[in-house]
Amino acid sequence: MDERNNKPVPQLIEVEPMQDGYRWVAITAMLLAIGIILHTVSPNVGGVTPNWTIAMYSIVINLTRPKLSQAIGIGFIAGLTLVPSSKSAFPLGNVASELAGATVCCLLVEAMVKIGISEWKLRPFITGFVATMTSGGLFTFILKLILGLPLHVWIYAMLPVVAIVGLLNGLITFFLYAPVRKLFYFQEDEK
């Protein structure tokens, strides 16, 4: 009681941060920013450039195991941030492709956790590769439609490049996952 006004003084309640709090937002924002910067400055070598953004959101999704709606948000933001730095004929295709990539990555991580292989060492590689194949496959298909390219150009010229980028992204996700996990002290059994 406040003796001057005879009114009760409200007590502060301390709330403990939880895994479902906003820590994943900060980690996502930081890693996506790193991915966008690397995506912007990475040189094109023989028509192939790793998509650092996909690798970074694959790491985030593997670490934080967000809800599907959150993964869709991650994909949407990733796609929007790629639009200004895109070197493609249709930059807005990034929005749809990253939505698809992040969604598939999230569903794949959840499926792996449900069948008991959440600690599988190759999980980051597989999810990074599959997310890239999904995102890149959709993106190049959108380009095929926009540019009116024949189907055989997409199958024999574009998809092999997507597969090479997928392998690079799988490797990037695999090799960066453990250091990033250690940096943020993630315990996967918290979820």
Side-chain angles (χ1 to χ4, degrees), residues 90 100 111 134:
F90 186 64
T134 303

Side-chain angles (χ1 to χ4, degrees), residues 34-35 38 42 48-59 124-126 128-129 132 164-180:
I34 291 168
L38 290 173
S42 289
V48 177
T49 305
N51 190 325
W52 292 94
T53 306
I54 297 173
M56 292 301 155
Y57 72 61
S58 294
I59 291 170
F125 174 82
I126 299 296
F129 175 75
T132 304
I164 293 168
V165 174
L167 287 172
L168 287 172
N169 278 1
L171 290 170
I172 290 167
T173 305
F174 177 77
F175 285 114
L176 292 182
Y177 176 75
V180 171

Side-chain angles (χ1 to χ4, degrees), residues 18-142:
M18 296 173 24
Q19 180 71 15
D20 291 336
Y22 295 100
R23 181 179 179 194
W24 73 271
V25 174
I27 293 164
T28 301
M30 184 182 72
L31 290 178
L32 283 180
I34 291 168
I36 297 300
I37 291 167
L38 290 173
H39 178 79
T40 304
V41 301
S42 289
N44 186 332
V45 179
V48 177
T49 305
N51 190 325
W52 292 94
T53 306
I54 297 173
M56 292 301 155
Y57 72 61
S58 294
I59 291 170
V60 165
I61 291 170
N62 272 282
L63 285 174
T64 63
R65 294 201 331 249
K67 297 175 191 165
L68 183 59
S69 61
Q70 294 168 327
I72 290 169
I74 290 168
F76 183 70
I77 296 300
L80 282 179
T81 56
L82 283 174
V83 170
S85 66
S86 179
K87 302 162 190 125
S88 83
F90 186 64
L92 288 175
N94 285 299
V95 177
S97 67
E98 300 313 333
L99 271 167
T103 300
V104 167
C105 186
C106 178
L107 293 172
L108 189 55
V109 167
E110 282 307 310
M112 290 177 152
V113 169
K114 282 184 180 166
I115 63 171
I117 56 173
S118 64
E119 293 298 318
W120 191 35
K121 298 281 187 213
L122 289 179
R123 185 182 78 181
F125 174 82
I126 299 296
T127 56
F129 175 75
V130 172
T132 304
M133 289 300 295
T134 303
S135 175
L138 179 59
F139 185 79
T140 56
F141 189 74
I142 290 170

